[in-house]
Structure formats: C-alpha cells, structure tokens
Amino acid sequence: PPPDRTQTAALPPPQPKAPPPPALPRMEPLTVLFDGAATALPEPAQARLDAIAERMKANGLLRLQIRSYASGTPETAREARQLSLARALAVRERLGTAGIASTRVDIRALGMEAGGGAPDRLDMEFLNQ
C-alpha cells in the first residue's frame, strides 16, 4: 500500500493574556457649589472634572450622572430648572472637549428640588464604578 501522506495541522499555543488593569479606587461623588446665576464651573472644581475625564477615558464603560439644582421661588421655578440644566450641560460639554461621549453622561436638571442640600449646586457621581 502507498505510504500515508496525511498531515495534521495544529493551532499555535494560546498567547498569554495581558493582566487586567489594576482597579482604581472608588471615586466619591463630587459636589460643586455655584454663586447665584453662574453657569460656568468654578475654578476649584476644574481639576476634579479633569480627573473624572481621565478616569472615564481609562474605562470606556463608566457612566457619569450629573444632578443639578438651582435656587428660585415658586414663581421662578421654570427659570431655576433652566439654570440647573445650563450648568449640567456646561459640565457635559467640558467633558466632551476632553473626549468623553455625551451618551456616557446622564443629566438630571432638578431645579429647586435640592433635597436638603445647598440650593445652587451640582452633584456628579459614577453610576457603575
């Protein structure tokens, strides 16, 4: 009989997987206080927002929630909600210029519903860290 010319192919051995990046410590929620009708993020909060952007770049799955509040009266409730929205949008836009997709930033413009905290503030926290 003719010699057997069957050849067997084998897959190369699996490459070792890179170790996962070290887990970053949990980032506590950030509260930013605003003066009056200001919409720009105060200067002291800029560095913290930069740190949030870097963390979000390092982990593409992180989502940020922004809850924004503004003081007002029952007669100016609509304006207070608009002001709280303008503050939150300014922060989301700043994160966007740092390369963070707007779809990863949830905004809750709550107007005068301060819930016992300072009336003119913005709270930011990660939803899934």
Side-chain angles (χ1 to χ4, degrees), residues 38-108:
T39 59
L41 194 65
E43 192 63 37
Q46 299 286 348
R48 286 292 305 271
L49 189 59
D50 291 342
I52 287 172
E54 287 304 313
R55 182 174 283 241
M56 292 182 80
K57 284 183 203 177
N59 182 344
L61 299 177
L62 280 179
R63 294 186 57 79
L64 183 71
Q65 183 179 71
I66 300 173
R67 292 182 307 277
S68 184
Y69 308 90
S71 59
T73 65
E75 293 80 27
T76 62
R78 180 173 179 239
E79 290 82 1
R81 188 171 178 99
Q82 289 174 336
L83 178 58
S84 66
L85 178 61
R87 291 172 175 165
L89 290 173
V91 171
R92 185 171 72 181
E93 181 179 323
R94 165 101 187 219
L95 289 170
T97 61
I100 306 303
S102 64
T103 55
R104 296 177 57 201
V105 181
D106 297 333
I107 290 179
R108 303 287 180 260

Side-chain angles (χ1 to χ4, degrees), residues 9-31:
L11 294 174
Q15 296 296 323
K17 292 184 181 179
L24 295 172
R26 182 173 177 80
M27 185 176 269
E28 294 301 316
L30 171 65
T31 297

Side-chain angles (χ1 to χ4, degrees), residues 106-120:
D106 297 333
I107 290 179
R108 303 287 180 260
L110 301 169
M112 298 184 327
E113 300 173 23
D120 286 294

